[in-house]
Amino acid sequence: MANTDNKNPKMTKKRRRELARELILRYEVGSRFSNSDTLLFGQICGYEFEWVERSAPKIGSAPAVCVSYPAETYTGSWGWRKSIDGYEQRQNLIGAMRLASRAGTFKQVKKDMCAQCGSNDLLAVDHKSVPFVRIAESFIKEQGKPAIQNVDFGWELVDPASFLEFHDEIADYQVLCASCNSKKGAKV
Ligand SMILES: [Zn+2]
């Protein structure tokens, strides 16, 4: 059964840090989170990760993780405490907008193989010409910040339809493997 904390929009940062820590400690160093724990960890931190892996601590014995964060084509070590401490409005807003965008043309992209190298290893749908965050920012610039509401851990747009329409007029996609995706990120 779901933890009742999931329903509490006022969950404290302290509680989020405890939950994140408990989650990490369930795994051995070097092992990757299950899909549901990846989702949960992302919700606690306010980011949408593709995968999360427990890594060896750098300093002392504090539990550490590596993540893949496709929205910013980032793969590497992740300061999870810092992301929880900085869990704030912008993150919530961008997350809610990303969620809304998933209901449109994004859903129709077929993940068959990498558009650049033909591999089918760890494929992800990538915003090809305009990064998602840039689409979100131009919407905010033109129409103001959309209203968001809390649902469980996360946030959603009160009116997802207007952003979805705006997003789908601009967005085009390509399917990339993890390796080509990280090379793309490195070029920016
Ligand atoms: Zn590739």
Side-chain angles (χ1 to χ4, degrees):
M1 287 307 293
N3 187 315
T4 50
D5 278 340
N6 293 9
K7 305 286 178 218
N8 181 3
K10 297 226 190 310
M11 184 190 293
T12 62
K13 285 175 181 173
K14 181 170 178 283
R15 184 71 188 122
R16 284 179 190 275
R17 281 193 297 267
E18 283 168 5
L19 282 174
R21 191 186 165 83
E22 282 168 21
L23 208 49
I24 298 168
L25 292 176
R26 277 186 219 159
Y27 290 86
E28 301 286 335
V29 169
S31 60
R32 201 165 275 204
F33 285 26
S34 70
N35 288 341
S36 58
D37 284 348
T38 299
L39 184 68
L40 182 60
F41 191 76
Q43 287 167 338
I44 294 169
C45 294
Y47 291 79
E48 198 173 328
F49 301 124
E50 184 183 19
W51 53 257
V52 180
E53 194 176 288
R54 184 171 174 194
S55 55
K58 281 185 189 137
I59 308 158
S61 58
V65 291
C66 282
V67 303
S68 166
Y69 179 46
E72 290 177 13
T73 47
Y74 174 79
T75 302
S77 62
W78 187 261
W80 56 275
R81 285 177 209 75
K82 208 171 142 194
S83 72
I84 292 170
D85 287 341
Y87 189 90
E88 57 186 39
Q89 208 61 14
R90 179 183 152 84
Q91 215 57 56
N92 298 343
L93 179 59
I94 298 293
M97 293 173 90
R98 195 183 300 282
L99 187 67
S101 76
R102 293 287 157 86
T105 52
F106 182 91
K107 256 194 341 201
Q108 295 151 16
V109 182
K110 265 201 192 136
K111 290 210 271 183
D112 46 4
M113 65 172 185
C114 176
Q116 282 178 13
C117 73
S119 152
N120 56 10
D121 184 36
L122 294 171
L123 297 174
V125 178
D126 173 62
H127 278 75
K128 188 178 176 185
S129 311
V130 189
F132 174 81
V133 172
R134 197 145 356 121
I135 299 176
E137 277 164 357
S138 37
F139 180 83
I140 293 169
K141 209 167 161 190
E142 282 181 26
Q143 308 198 20
K145 284 183 186 170
I148 58 175
Q149 59 194 359
N150 186 259
V151 276
D152 295 345
F153 273 111
W155 295 81
E156 63 179 23
L157 297 184
V158 174
D159 169 25
S162 54
F163 175 64
L164 179 59
E165 192 186 332
F166 181 93
H167 172 272
D168 280 1
E169 272 181 27
I170 300 170
D172 62 342
Y173 307 99
Q174 64 185 349
V175 173
L176 293 179
C177 71
S179 161
C180 291
N181 207 358
S182 65
K183 278 179 213 151
K184 182 190 172 189
K187 263 190 280 178
V188 173

